[in-house]
Amino acid sequence: MFLVAGDKSGDWSGWYDMAIKAAELRFARYLEKREAMSDQAVTWEELRAELVQLGDEQEVARLRDGLVARRRAYRLAEARHELGLR
């Protein structure tokens, strides 16, 4: 979902036509970029830089902590499985 805002005064229908086209163009660019990057590994630093542009530092830190916790849990589960533990 894309949020597009602007001054609609005096041209409600024209503004919506322009805003919808702008949102569709931005979404198409996003999909192209996403597909181009699908075969490439992304470092945490690259991902963090992109996320910081979209949100605040505290939210990025919270997301990172969640990812680290999931990675640890996954590795622990793998080790238990290899050792025959449950």
Side-chain angles (χ1 to χ4, degrees):
M1 177 189 298
F2 283 89
L3 175 63
V4 181
D7 183 9
K8 299 179 233 22
S9 61
D11 190 21
W12 277 79
S13 60
W15 184 88
Y16 280 104
D17 290 341
M18 181 277 309
I20 290 169
K21 288 177 186 173
E24 288 174 342
L25 177 62
R26 289 176 184 159
F27 186 64
R29 286 181 185 161
Y30 163 78
L31 290 177
E32 288 173 2
K33 183 178 178 182
R34 182 176 166 195
E35 182 155 333
M37 293 185 69
S38 66
D39 296 333
Q40 301 173 2
V42 177
T43 66
W44 167 248
E45 290 79 19
E46 293 168 334
L47 179 59
R48 182 186 171 282
E50 187 173 333
L51 290 172
V52 167
Q53 289 178 348
L54 300 174
D56 64 57
E57 285 280 344
Q58 290 179 337
E59 180 66 8
V60 172
R62 188 186 69 74
L63 292 171
R64 180 187 179 279
D65 292 345
L67 290 172
V68 169
R70 283 188 218 142
R71 184 180 67 193
R72 285 184 185 144
Y74 179 78
R75 287 182 176 172
L76 180 59
E78 280 186 324
R80 288 179 175 167
H81 178 73
E82 289 176 12
L83 295 171
L85 304 172
R86 290 187 178 207

